[in-house]
Amino acid sequence: RSMEFGVAEEALLRQLCLHMAFPTATHGQTHAGGSSLLPAYLSGESRLLLENFPELGFFRDMVFLFKMLMVPTSEALPEICPWMPLDALLSWRHDASSGAFVVSAFGRTLNAAAITKQAEQAENSSWLERKLRKVFGVTKPRAPPSSADPQQLVKSELGVEVRIEREEDVLHLKQLPSFDGALRPPEAELLLQYLTVPYLRVPLLLRFFSQPSHVHALGSAKLQAALDATLFEPGQWQLERSKELPKCVPAPSRAHLATPAGILFNELTKSPAAVTESVLRMVELAIELDSGRYSTES
């Protein structure tokens, strides 16, 4: 999550140097004096290690490029233009003053960790700050908004901008979407309220659509996309093995709602019955809707 030379990298390179009898510090100086060769080995400024283990450099570049592909905004990415293959060659160096690696390519410095941190800070900012950034074009999103975002769902259906961040916001909507008549207003209100709680909405939406009166609503392409995004968008990633429970409610951040492998896997490991029973019920309802022969109506 940063560009600094971490403890894990140091442990790996020390093991490799011990195995190959490579020096870990410059001649006549010690690691405690800040003259370690290990960062230079990883950056390639000292070619001794990468000449013997070239796959380490390839793996280093692959991990960095994967991180670049996962940044939430396009500000950290090169502009779109006819680049040459050699423009994508990553150039690494270690800045001893900051202790961080500096990576250059496409004629600019790349830093996936910095832009990700900025995006996380922006996500925790107020609604007014996010709105101003959107109006003045401060951030450029990488991808279109989630199909499970209640604000975007209402906008795509009614064509109006609304603010929906919590359950109470849905109650103040002057008009509710019907999704081409698939849902009545009370049902649409309940659906939008479910979408405001990402950590709980997987079992809630599955139970909603597993009811005989609601399964027909999945004929709407927008509702199909909303259910698909709810199930398969991973949500916030849990970095640490264990997470600290919030000391107050509402919590100051959403860190306690993070999961190590996505919300769907979290549900399947913690409370599988809430998911599997609803899915099986939806399958049963789909089979009951089968007319037994193909027709345009079926």
Side-chain angles (χ1 to χ4, degrees):
R1 296 176 65 84
S2 73
M3 295 298 293
E4 297 180 358
F5 185 72
V7 178
E9 292 86 354
E10 180 179 359
L12 173 61
L13 296 189
R14 281 193 176 278
Q15 288 293 327
L16 291 175
C17 290
L18 179 64
H19 176 70
M20 299 296 293
F22 291 161
T24 59
T26 55
H27 180 68
Q29 295 176 316
T30 62
H31 173 58
S35 57
S36 173
L37 288 172
L38 299 181
Y41 286 155
L42 186 58
S43 67
E45 294 171 286
S46 176
R47 297 293 305 173
L48 181 61
L49 195 64
L50 293 185
E51 287 292 337
N52 290 272
F53 298 97
E55 61 274 16
L56 180 63
F58 298 143
F59 182 69
R60 173 203 66 189
D61 291 348
M62 288 169 58
V63 170
F64 182 81
L65 290 174
F66 277 132
K67 287 181 176 291
M68 290 299 301
L69 293 174
M70 295 297 292
V71 295
T73 72
S74 59
E75 295 175 359
L77 300 178
E79 59 276 9
I80 298 176
C81 68
W83 296 102
M84 297 298 291
L86 288 179
D87 292 327
L89 182 64
L90 299 180
S91 174
W92 290 72
R93 68 177 179 86
H94 183 255
D95 185 0
S97 61
S98 64
F101 290 103
V102 179
V103 184
S104 302
F106 300 100
R108 61 184 295 177
T109 299
L110 304 176
N111 192 337
I115 198 67
T116 301
K117 184 177 180 180
Q118 293 174 8
E120 291 175 351
Q121 293 174 348
E123 185 178 354
N124 295 328
S125 61
S126 67
W127 173 81
L128 179 59
E129 291 176 352
R130 294 197 298 270
K131 191 72 173 179
L132 290 174
R133 282 195 298 270
K134 181 178 179 181
V135 171
F136 293 103
V138 177
T139 58
K140 297 178 290 184
R142 282 286 315 279
S146 168
S147 297
D149 184 350
Q151 296 181 150
Q152 297 299 322
L153 199 58
V154 172
K155 181 181 178 181
S156 65
E157 183 72 8
L158 302 179
V160 294
E161 290 277 358
V162 294
R163 180 175 68 92
I164 303 177
E165 294 185 349
R166 52 184 61 88
E167 182 180 354
E168 292 80 1
D169 296 332
V170 180
L171 300 176
H172 295 289
L173 293 178
K174 296 180 179 180
Q175 184 181 2
L176 290 167
S178 66
F179 304 102
D180 299 325
L183 294 177
R184 295 180 291 115
E187 297 168 340
E189 181 181 81
L190 188 61
L191 173 70
L192 294 175
Q193 289 175 337
Y194 286 166
L195 292 176
T196 61
V197 283
Y199 192 77
L200 299 174
R201 65 188 182 188
V202 168
L204 291 176
L205 253 69
L206 286 176
R207 187 178 303 172
F208 179 86
F209 286 114
S210 64
Q211 299 178 19
S213 59
H214 296 159
V215 69
H216 295 275
L218 287 176
S220 168
K222 293 177 182 177
L223 293 180
Q224 292 175 19
L227 180 60
D228 184 85
T230 297
L231 292 176
F232 299 111
E233 287 182 358
Q236 187 176 353
W237 181 56
Q238 178 182 330
L239 177 63
E240 305 295 337
R241 182 180 294 273
S242 60
K243 53 187 176 183
E244 184 180 357
L245 295 178
K247 294 182 175 58
C248 60
V249 177
S253 70
R254 304 179 68 90
H256 62 286
L257 301 178
T259 59
I263 297 177
L264 179 59
F265 276 97
N266 188 69
E267 290 291 336
L268 291 174
T269 54
K270 304 297 183 182
S271 53
V275 175
T276 55
E277 289 177 0
S278 297
V279 171
L280 290 175
R281 180 56 181 158
M282 291 172 66
V283 173
E284 293 174 357
L285 292 173
I287 293 175
E288 292 177 3
L289 294 174
D290 185 11
S291 62
R293 61 186 181 86
Y294 172 77
S295 66
T296 55
E297 291 76 13
S298 64

